Amino acid sequence: MARISFLLGLTACLLNLLTPTFAVEIWDIFTVDRTKDTDGACKARMTVLDQWLSEGSYSLDVALNAIDNYLTEPAVRDAMTTFFGVQQTEEGRKPSTIEPIRKKIQWVHYFFNQERNPKKKNELWFKANEYYLFCDSDFLARRDKTDSALDFQTKVIVDKDNNEISIDKVPGYATALRKEAKAVPWWAGASGLNGYFFTESGGDYCDTAGNFGLTAKIELFKQGANGKAQKDRIARSVIICPNAFDQNQPDSYKEANELLATGTNLADAVPKSATLVHELFHAIHGGDFSTGKAEEYDLGACIKLAEQQVQNSRKNIENYIFFIAHMYHLYGEADGEEPWSIKKNWNFQIEYISNSKDFIYGATEDGDAMDVDE
């Protein structure tokens, strides 16, 4: 998981797809093309994405409730030390470092549940026309920086003498190209978003094994007076790669929970829906979290961050993902055959491999695991 760092000049011709009187669906919270399966559209993925939405929402609920029970639940205290380096204090007092961590999760929860701001006439905290969802990076077409530049109306940009201008000569585009040493222009017109991504990888990003998703900042433009481009607003683009749907992880929390046995590593019990949660942390919190090479994804590396670089662990999204998964397996509930149903609750703890400094974060019964009533 990673994210593209810059995008310039996208059109603001979007539809408001919100339907607040019904249960939240994936198209309620994102602008997403459901009509085809090319050019980043998601027709064949909609059922899975709706499952991911439900799982993500429930898992965030459970994590927030667990944090709220910090003082009465030793397992929560231990997990927050493991993943965020929270130093436990004397009994009856919650460490002040917990609330900023909780708020990071809470904002993602607002998004998943399409919640409203009571201080602003109950307006939605997050609007679907400010968040795009794509199911591949194939809508991006590589261009050479010396190609003729297009504007947000797909018109060739010209100078005062009516001569065509290349992409690298447009001031805003030139600035974007300088932000990354290997950046090239990627035109997003196939998706209807008429603008450029300026980055090293674009349309080929999802072709690389192990790339599951990315998030990009979008500057939306609209036509102003005399046809001139006028900034409209900032939005976010979330791309979920085919690799994320096909990765070797459980398809659901139910499947993940059924795989658990004493000693099973937590890393093997994180469902595919965590990719969507991960990218939403990027989309909502932007630069508050580490990106690119600064991100850690391996469970062991995340735990070591909390031990050795506490502040970095609280800026590393996968630390939150592992914490959320731990809390869900520990406190989730049975719900028939639903994909998020937990049949048995498990705790996890560090288990060192004999004669080695290596360890796993293994499932344990040790009196903490309990069967959920059917």
Side-chain angles (χ1 to χ4, degrees):
M1 302 171 192
R3 66 175 189 166
I4 290 176
S5 61
F6 198 86
L7 180 64
L8 184 68
L10 292 184
T11 180
C13 297
L14 306 175
L15 295 176
N16 187 340
L17 300 177
L18 301 178
T19 53
T21 58
F22 300 97
V24 178
E25 305 284 354
I26 198 74
W27 58 82
D28 294 325
I29 61 177
F30 285 106
T31 294
V32 54
D33 187 342
R34 297 176 277 159
T35 66
K36 59 182 188 290
D37 291 311
T38 57
D39 299 329
C42 299
K43 181 179 179 181
R45 307 289 192 183
M46 295 306 296
T47 299
V48 172
L49 287 169
D50 273 329
Q51 175 196 318
W52 288 11
L53 173 62
S54 296
E55 283 194 39
S57 175
Y58 290 144
S59 68
L60 293 165
D61 274 333
V62 169
L64 290 170
N65 287 333
I67 293 173
D68 290 341
N69 291 318
Y70 178 89
L71 292 178
T72 60
E73 294 293 320
V76 177
R77 296 197 293 273
D78 290 344
M80 295 204 75
T81 298
T82 298
F83 291 109
F84 304 115
V86 173
Q87 296 300 308
Q88 300 183 29
T89 58
E90 64 270 20
E91 186 176 350
R93 188 165 68 86
K94 186 180 293 187
S96 60
T97 52
I98 289 178
E99 189 57 25
I101 296 169
R102 189 190 188 283
K103 284 183 177 179
K104 296 296 187 187
I105 299 172
Q106 180 71 72
W107 281 107
V108 182
H109 181 270
Y110 285 162
F111 183 92
F112 269 90
N113 290 275
Q114 205 180 30
E115 295 189 24
R116 297 175 179 271
N117 183 356
K119 295 182 179 180
K120 289 189 176 182
K121 300 180 180 180
N122 277 332
E123 292 181 4
L124 291 167
W125 283 108
F126 303 102
K127 300 176 181 178
N129 67 351
E130 295 176 354
Y131 291 84
Y132 296 86
L133 179 64
F134 299 99
C135 290
D136 203 337
S137 58
D138 61 351
F139 65 96
L140 295 168
R142 181 167 179 159
R143 297 288 184 262
D144 192 272
K145 63 183 180 180
T146 59
D147 289 345
S148 296
L150 301 178
D151 66 11
F152 73 107
Q153 295 175 295
T154 71
K155 295 179 180 178
V156 175
I157 299 175
V158 296
D159 62 17
K160 61 183 179 61
D161 297 319
N162 210 38
N163 296 315
E164 294 186 1
I165 300 176
S166 61
I167 295 170
D168 61 344
K169 300 301 182 184
V170 177
Y173 296 167
T175 299
L177 284 167
R178 287 195 296 269
K179 285 183 178 290
E180 292 187 27
K182 297 181 179 180
V184 295
W186 297 85
W187 178 248
S191 68
L193 300 179
N194 297 325
Y196 297 96
F197 282 75
F198 294 98
T199 186
E200 181 178 359
S201 295
D204 57 351
Y205 178 84
C206 287
D207 295 335
T208 301
N211 284 349
F212 294 157
L214 55 85
T215 300
K217 174 183 175 182
I218 305 171
E219 290 186 4
L220 296 174
F221 284 74
K222 62 183 179 182
Q223 185 174 358
N226 300 319
K228 292 184 178 180
Q230 176 180 312
K231 284 188 178 181
D232 186 42
R233 63 190 179 281
I234 299 296
R236 298 292 187 272
S237 169
V238 173
I239 298 174
I240 305 296
C241 294
N243 299 329
F245 297 99
D246 301 331
Q247 63 178 297
N248 188 29
Q249 288 294 119
D251 287 327
S252 65
Y253 265 111
K254 180 178 182 295
E255 181 179 310
N257 191 255
E258 291 172 348
L259 293 174
L260 288 175
T262 300
T264 302
N265 201 13
L266 177 62
D268 298 324
V270 178
K272 294 176 181 179
S273 59
T275 298
L276 182 62
V277 179
H278 182 111
E279 294 307 324
L280 260 298
F281 268 91
H282 277 309
I284 292 168
H285 295 296
D288 290 348
F289 281 95
S290 301
T291 60
K293 294 180 179 180
E295 280 196 84
E296 295 286 357
Y297 303 104
D298 177 75
L299 175 57
C302 290
I303 291 175
K304 287 181 180 178
L305 267 185
E307 293 175 345
Q308 302 169 5
Q309 302 178 47
V310 172
Q311 292 306 314
N312 286 342
S313 73
R314 298 171 190 175
K315 296 191 298 181
N316 192 68
I317 294 175
E318 212 66 5
N319 282 63
Y320 290 78
I321 296 300
F322 286 125
F323 172 76
I324 291 167
H326 180 172
M327 293 299 97
Y328 201 78
H329 285 298
L330 182 58
Y331 296 112
E333 298 180 356
D335 190 12
E337 293 302 314
E338 296 293 354
W340 48 83
S341 181
I342 297 295
K343 299 296 185 183
K344 185 173 182 178
N345 294 114
W346 292 86
N347 199 2
F348 293 81
Q349 65 183 23
I350 293 176
E351 299 178 5
Y352 285 93
I353 299 172
S354 58
N355 300 321
S356 172
K357 292 183 179 180
D358 294 331
F359 62 87
I360 61 171
Y361 196 60
T364 177
E365 292 189 76
D366 288 348
D368 291 312
M370 54 188 172
D371 289 318
V372 175
D373 293 332
E374 294 292 342

